[in-house]
């Protein structure tokens, strides 16, 4: 299932997830750091969304108190919460 998230306080303007059987099948980050985003997407492919959210939470970029990985985690946490 596809999910779209609008991150805040980061360069990325949209994060698109494809989740199947509670696993992340694909990730696209729009207007973020493309090299980092592609690397993260490869690393988290086929991983459980709970594990990905835990691993990426609270990573900071500069003085923003968040980052694209942190925003991915926040989005996944919202998806997890809405599924319950």
């Amino acid at each position: 299932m596809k999910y779209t998230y609008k991150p805040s306080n980061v360069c990325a303007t949209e994060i698109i997830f494809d989740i199947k059987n509670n696993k992340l099948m694909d990730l696209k980050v729009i207007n973020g750091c493309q090299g980092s985003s592609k690397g993260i997407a490869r690393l988290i492919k086929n991983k459980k969304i709970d594990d990905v959210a835990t691993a990426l939470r609270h990573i900071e970029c500069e003085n923003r108190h968040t980052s694209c990985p942190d925003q991915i985690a926040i989005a996944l946490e919202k998806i997890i919460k809405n599924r319950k």
Side-chain angles (χ1 to χ4, degrees), residues 7 42 58:
R42 282 189 190 176
H58 303 294

Side-chain angles (χ1 to χ4, degrees), residues 3-78:
Y3 296 89
T4 302
Y5 179 73
K6 300 284 184 188
S8 60
N9 205 26
V10 294
C11 299
T13 55
E14 187 174 51
I15 302 171
I16 304 166
F17 304 92
D18 187 9
I19 298 171
K20 183 177 180 181
N21 296 326
N22 210 37
K23 291 186 178 181
L24 228 140
M25 305 311 291
D26 193 28
L27 169 76
K28 288 186 177 38
V29 179
I30 310 302
N31 295 323
C33 302
Q34 289 305 304
S36 295
S37 299
K38 288 177 184 177
I40 291 168
R42 282 189 190 176
L43 289 170
I44 65 178
K45 187 171 184 160
N46 292 315
K47 303 282 191 247
K48 292 180 182 179
I49 60 174
D50 303 65
D51 295 339
V52 173
T54 300
L56 298 181
R57 195 67 162 104
H58 303 294
I59 294 173
E60 293 187 9
C61 181
E62 298 174 352
N63 294 323
R64 297 175 188 216
H65 304 293
T66 191
S67 65
C68 289
D70 187 49
Q71 291 292 302
I72 291 167
I74 291 167
L76 291 173
E77 289 169 354
K78 288 182 179 188

